[in-house]
Amino acid sequence: MSRSIKKGPYINYKLIKKVKLNNTLKIKKKIKTWARNSIITPEFVGNTFLVHNGNRFISIYITENMVGCKLGEFSPTRIFKGHSGNKKK
Amino acid sequence: MAIISGVNLPNNKKGLISLTYIYGIGKNTAKKILEINNIDINKKVKDWNQKELQKIIKYITKNIKIEGELRTEIQYNIKRLKDIGCYRGIRHRLGLPLRGQRTKNNSRTRKGKRKTIANKKKVIKK
């Protein structure tokens, strides 16, 4: 079930605080976060995030196209390396 | 013979069904098109006169995305997902379902025909 429109999109308020700080001071500090469920807003563009995938932090540079997606979509939690015996000769 | 944006509409079918031969128009849209232009749904394509045909073509070109234009739009959307490298984009690249369906079995539409692997160990019965 999708989120109620009344509430609006979920954005982690701590992230917004950090992004605003980054934007006003014009520094490119990487933002470490576990908030995979937070939506990417237009203000995030140009910042780099370190998004946790359960194991380690994956760095994501936010571009304009990514607005509206969630942060977690860009740091995959599962790694598939192929089946055994599927090796190419 | 009625031709709309390079697609031949079958003459001997009702207008409602005939319009669905165009990529991007289903039954619902076809019904809407005919109702707005005051054409009977059950009227066959060969019974349409020029005026009615012109009205339909005008309406479609003005309001609905069909055929090549629609295909390119879809391709562009998929390409966008692939380029930004989000989860759905990755699934598109791998040719697997995007919306969390199971892949242990089924989902053959995305995965294509079954590929059996040669020399796979078989269970030996005693």
Side-chain angles (χ1 to χ4, degrees):
Chain A
M1 198 168 71
S2 51
R3 189 179 161 88
S4 141
I5 297 162
K6 188 183 81 182
K7 295 180 190 173
Y10 169 72
I11 306 154
N12 193 309
Y13 76 99
K14 277 184 184 171
L15 278 182
I16 290 187
K17 238 165 48 180
K18 282 177 185 170
V19 167
K20 275 183 182 162
L21 199 74
N22 253 3
N23 287 346
T24 47
L25 296 177
K26 288 186 177 169
I27 44 168
K28 293 268 165 82
K29 201 183 169 192
K30 287 183 180 178
I31 299 165
K32 211 175 202 184
T33 180
W34 283 260
R36 294 168 55 85
N37 55 356
S38 177
I39 274 179
I40 296 169
T41 63
E43 295 128 48
F44 288 16
V45 173
N47 284 293
T48 311
F49 287 83
L50 291 167
V51 183
H52 198 59
N53 75 345
N55 184 18
R56 59 195 190 85
F57 293 91
I58 291 172
S59 84
I60 299 158
Y61 178 75
I62 306 291
T63 60
E64 229 166 85
N65 276 334
M66 295 178 182
V67 173
C69 291
K70 291 182 182 179
L71 281 173
E73 285 185 56
F74 299 96
S75 81
T77 55
R78 276 173 261 188
I79 303 162
F80 176 65
K81 292 200 166 164
H83 297 294
S84 65
N86 228 357
K87 290 165 201 160
K88 281 172 190 170
K89 280 165 194 171
Chain B
M1 184 72 82
I3 297 174
I4 295 175
S5 71
V7 181
N8 279 333
L9 299 187
N11 260 336
N12 290 321
K13 296 202 177 202
K14 289 173 185 172
L16 180 71
I17 305 298
S18 262
L19 281 174
T20 62
Y21 278 62
I22 301 164
Y23 184 83
I25 294 179
K27 261 189 181 172
N28 220 350
T29 348
K31 201 178 166 194
K32 212 171 93 190
I33 292 165
L34 293 173
E35 272 173 1
I36 282 171
N37 291 308
N38 288 324
I39 298 160
D40 188 21
I41 288 171
N42 294 321
K43 209 174 181 184
K44 286 186 177 173
V45 172
K46 60 184 173 187
D47 298 330
W48 286 351
N49 54 35
Q50 273 303 314
K51 224 179 180 181
E52 285 170 332
L53 185 63
Q54 286 306 320
K55 263 204 282 188
I56 289 168
I57 290 172
K58 207 178 166 190
Y59 181 81
I60 286 174
T61 46
K62 207 177 170 189
N63 296 303
I64 303 166
K65 251 186 196 171
I66 48 164
E67 286 296 325
E69 204 186 341
L70 184 61
R71 285 203 179 92
T72 47
E73 200 202 340
I74 291 168
Q75 285 308 313
Y76 174 77
N77 288 343
I78 292 171
K79 199 176 164 287
R80 203 195 85 233
L81 289 176
K82 282 179 184 172
D83 285 344
I84 64 175
C86 71
Y87 183 73
R88 276 170 70 199
I90 295 164
R91 301 297 277 184
H92 262 298
R93 256 183 253 154
L94 294 173
L96 290 168
L98 316 186
R99 300 183 181 177
Q101 296 99 322
R102 70 152 36 196
T103 52
K104 182 172 182 174
N105 38 32
N106 296 336
S107 69
R108 287 329 307 187
T109 314
R110 288 286 303 172
K111 284 162 89 176
K113 277 232 158 146
R114 275 168 221 277
K115 293 154 252 170
T116 40
I117 296 150
N119 302 326
K120 199 181 176 182
K121 271 182 198 168
K122 278 172 191 166
V123 183
I124 303 156
K125 278 181 186 173
K126 278 175 189 174

